[in-house]
Amino acid sequence: KLREIRRLTQELGVNLAGVEEIMRLRSELEALQARFEAEVARLKLLLLEEGKTLPEGSSMGA
């Protein structure tokens, strides 16, 4: 995290308030992505339990 803060401030000129917001948004994005991936896995499991398969070439984002 410290390397990223240094990169944002020194190389990109982001102030500390901006760094804080970027870090907060990144954390929120990671949490949302994890929830999305868990939901995709849950839906795939439901489809398998119902004996259905996904169309060929469909990955549902995962």
Side-chain angles (χ1 to χ4, degrees), residues 7 50 59:
R7 185 181 78 79
E50 292 179 8
S59 65

Side-chain angles (χ1 to χ4, degrees), residues 5-19:
I5 292 169
R6 186 179 69 207
R7 185 181 78 79
L8 288 168
T9 56
Q10 293 178 357
E11 294 177 22
L12 301 177
V14 177
N15 65 26
L16 291 179
V19 170

Side-chain angles (χ1 to χ4, degrees), residues 4 11 24 28-29 35 39 47-49 59:
E4 183 63 11
E11 294 177 22
R24 184 188 68 75
E28 188 176 324
L29 177 62
R35 283 179 45 202
E39 184 65 10
L47 286 172
L48 287 173
E49 288 173 352
S59 65

Side-chain angles (χ1 to χ4, degrees), residues 2-61:
L2 291 175
R3 275 190 225 118
E4 183 63 11
I5 292 169
R6 186 179 69 207
R7 185 181 78 79
L8 288 168
T9 56
Q10 293 178 357
E11 294 177 22
L12 301 177
V14 177
N15 65 26
L16 291 179
V19 170
E20 180 180 25
E21 183 68 2
I22 289 168
M23 301 298 257
R24 184 188 68 75
L25 289 170
R26 233 181 235 160
S27 177
E28 188 176 324
L29 177 62
E30 288 170 358
L32 288 170
Q33 186 172 10
R35 283 179 45 202
F36 171 77
E37 289 172 1
E39 184 65 10
V40 167
R42 185 186 72 79
L43 292 171
K44 284 182 177 181
L45 184 60
L46 281 175
L47 286 172
L48 287 173
E49 288 173 352
E50 292 179 8
K52 298 177 182 176
T53 59
L54 295 174
E56 192 62 37
S58 176
S59 65
M60 289 182 60

